[in-house]
């Protein structure tokens, strides 16, 4: 063991335990490996903990299908083509054909996708145990290490690693235009950390720490004011990454460096409970959503590692602002990548609504907020965003990704190309579909939280429990849990009673349990569990409406948590695989039917289609024609509509006359 690290652990690790440090399971295991800790730490900050991805395996269902498509997509990518720009920048030979889009040799953000690729491969290895992904991680890390070692001979400072010149960071310091070098570096560093945590690649940690040392040199040259000015340029979740690096190594300088990336013009008002997400003197065009959410995830991790409550206040208040007040019915947020005034939703049903990276990051933040105070409301949002936006963001034919989840009436989804896109949302998209197991279950010392109804098997080794969840949700409104135990255990099983559910029914070994809880809470079944015990949960689903904020006559239709979109056909539909994610934003859209009904009668005019799961048909409701409704996550390669205008009798008659 490294003597300095042992000494630092004695000083800083013990004080961290006093503060109630929360470190997620996979990070804690890695830290134990580095520091020689025999056991995980307990936390006074988090009331519930996630399981390691390696303890969860998906079973047959839509999420496993998406994960398998993602596997094929990842394995189709050539690591040498992804590494090309790194090798060229380091003066190393490369015979690979350069990629296009955001990874083209002349694009300033080049190299970001390698970070996502490392993370996605690492997550997929943890989720499946497939050695192909670990081998890819090991290869890419080895080659990046060669580039890092060669860069000083090209005049770069020791430890630097990127696919672009170090001078890009000088431009940030001088406040000159440059496309997000810190953001790109964050992706690379996060990918290396994931390679270490999930694949046990110690070289990845070594390369990462060398970058962090370079970063200390870089940031250390700046005054506080200069650094705060540099943070106006997008920097991703650098404070989260560095806090996680501190959690793994116990090196206090990494935590200090993380704080250098705390953006005060955002953090200070949020810590006071002030909504600062709209246009202002500092942000004349509004606040860029995906520049901001990762910063808040960093604040969440800083709270967990320091116990400083200001970071908790920043995180929880921001989560409420976005999840509860600035999100569309699908769980997505923002328009043209920016937050907007909440009273202006009706002006923002656009083809550029809902950047997928935003939802990726909001789900990460939601996991922290839930861990501190496990609430069904928090997990209801997670479910809404996961089942509708994230599951619906992948092309079922190619496994490729969308950038925006368009909400323009009559528009359609567009996907990246095979070699000429490599958007940020393609990168986070690869990660999304590789880690579906990470939130299905949480736990504390004596309880197991059933958060999501997704077919899966949990192997809780500490308790000697294998729990198998079998469900066809959302096509069916039931799930079955089967217990496999080495010996009986006393355990509280906490079942989410969703806010959308009606009359939750729980049976244990065919005996109905008395439920006193209400929708929007957790039901606890406390008992001694034995081998072969079986629990059946039924959560009846129903059609219901949700109005667009500040637009009561514009509604979306849901079945349980599932957003239903209207199928509008393929007339004048262009090729939906595009190099530029925004190139079809202005493609002409046809007129979209409206709903003509009294509000209280609307759902009665929507009927299920016999023999077609999750499919509904309007009856005498649509004007000028009725429409068929299917889940938004299943709607691809055709035009659609999510939010419907509801006409009054007077408006309906006027339209008929016109």
């Amino acid at each position: 063991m490294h003597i300095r690290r042992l000494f630092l652990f004695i000083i800083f690790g013990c004080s961290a335990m006093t503060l109630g440090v929360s470190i997620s399971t996979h990070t804690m295991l890695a830290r134990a490996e580095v520091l020689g800790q025999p056991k995980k730490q307990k936390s006074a900050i988090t009331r519930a903990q996630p399981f390691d991805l390696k303890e969860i395996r998906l079973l047959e269902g839509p999420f496993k299908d998406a994960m398998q498509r993602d596997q094929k997509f990842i394995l189709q990518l050539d690591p040498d083509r992804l590494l090309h720009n790194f090798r060229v920048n380091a003066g190393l030979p490369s015979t690979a054909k350069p990629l296009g889009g955001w990874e083209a040799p002349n694009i300033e953000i080049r190299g970001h996708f390698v970070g996502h690729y490392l993370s996605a491969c690492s997550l997929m290895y943890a989720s499946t145990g497939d050695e192909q992904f670990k081998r890819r991680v090991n290869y890419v890390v080895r080659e990046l290490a060669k580039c890092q070692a060669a860069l000083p001979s090209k005049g770069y400072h020791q430890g630097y690693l990127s696919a672009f010149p170090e001078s890009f960071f000088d431009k940030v310091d001088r406040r000159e235009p440059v496309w997000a070098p810190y953001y790109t570096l964050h992706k690379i560093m996060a990918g290396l950390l994931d390679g270490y945590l999930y694949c046990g690649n110690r070289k990845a940690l070594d390369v990462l720490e060398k970058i962090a040392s370079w970063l200390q040199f870089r940031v250390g040259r700046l005054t506080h004011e200069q650094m705060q000015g540099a943070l106006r340029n997008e920097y991703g979740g650098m404070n989260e990454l560095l806090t996680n690096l501190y959690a793994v190594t116990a090196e206090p300088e990494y935590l200090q460096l993380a704080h250098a990336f705390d953006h005060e013009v955002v953090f200070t008002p949020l810590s006071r409970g002030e909504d600062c997400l709209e246009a202002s003197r500092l942000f004349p065009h509004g606040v860029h959503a995906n520049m901001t959410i990762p910063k808040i995830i960093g604040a969440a991790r800083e709270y967990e590692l320091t116990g400083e409550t200001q970071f908790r206040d920043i995180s929880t208040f921001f989560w409420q602002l976005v999840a509860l007040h600035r999100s569309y019915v699908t769980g997505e947020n923002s328009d043209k990548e920016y937050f907007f005034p909440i009273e202006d939703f009706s002006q923002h049903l656009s083809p550029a609504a809902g950047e997928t990276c935003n939802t990726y990051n909001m789900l990460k933040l939601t996991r922290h907020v839930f861990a501190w105070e496990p609430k069904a409301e928090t997990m209801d949002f997670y479910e809404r965003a996961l089942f509708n936006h994230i599951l619906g963001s992948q092309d079922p034919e190619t496994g490729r990704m969308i950038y925006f989840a368009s909400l323009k009436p009559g528009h359609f989804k567009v996907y990246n190309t095979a070699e000429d896109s490599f958007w940020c949302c393609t990168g986070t998209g690869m990660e999304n579909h590789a880690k579906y197991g990470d939130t299905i279950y949480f736990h504390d010392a004596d309880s197991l939280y059933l958060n999501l109804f997704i077919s899966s098997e949990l192997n809780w080794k500490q308790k000697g429990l294998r729990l198998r969840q079998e469900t066809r949700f959302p096509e069916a409104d039931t799930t079955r849990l089967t217990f496999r135990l080495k010996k009986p255990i006393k355990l509280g099983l906490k079942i989410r009673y969703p806010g959308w559910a009606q009359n939750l029914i729980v049976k244990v070994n065919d005996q109905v349990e008395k439920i006193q809880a209400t929708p929007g809470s957790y039901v606890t079944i406390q008992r001694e569990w034995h081998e072969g015990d079986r629990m059946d949960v039924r959560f009846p689903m129903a059609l219901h409406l949700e109005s667009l904020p500040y637009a009561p006559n514009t509604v979306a239709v849901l079945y349980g948590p599932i957003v239903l979109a209207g199928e509008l056909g393929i007339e004048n539909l262009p090729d939906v695989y595009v190099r530029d994610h925004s190139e079809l934003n202005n493609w002409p859209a046809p007129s979209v039917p409206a709903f003509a009904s009294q509000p209280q009668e609307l759902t009665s005019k929507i009927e299920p289609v016999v023999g077609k799961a999750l499919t509904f048909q309007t009856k005498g409701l649509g004007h000028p024609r009725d429409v068929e409704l299917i889940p938004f996550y299943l709607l691809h390669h055709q035009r659609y509509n999510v939010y419907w205008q509801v006409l009054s009798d007077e408006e309906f008659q006027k339209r008929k006359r016109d």
Side-chain angles (χ1 to χ4, degrees), residues 109-149:
I109 203 173
R110 60 188 181 271
H112 79 108
F113 204 82
V114 168
H116 286 299
Y117 182 77
L118 279 173
S119 290
C121 287
S122 301
L123 292 164
M124 197 65 83
Y125 173 66
S127 294
T128 67
D130 189 335
E131 292 287 337
Q132 292 182 89
F133 297 100
K134 184 176 181 179
R135 287 195 294 270
R136 293 220 173 185
V137 168
N138 292 342
Y139 176 73
V140 171
V141 168
R142 185 168 64 248
E143 296 305 305
L144 288 176
K146 292 177 183 177
C147 293
Q148 187 179 51

Side-chain angles (χ1 to χ4, degrees), residues 381-403:
F381 169 79
Y382 192 101
E383 175 187 63
R384 177 80 67 91
L386 185 74
F387 274 79
N388 294 296
H389 188 178
I390 298 304
L391 190 59
S393 66
Q394 182 195 58
D395 176 25
E397 296 183 8
T398 65
R400 299 179 198 165
M401 324 299 172
I402 66 172
Y403 191 110

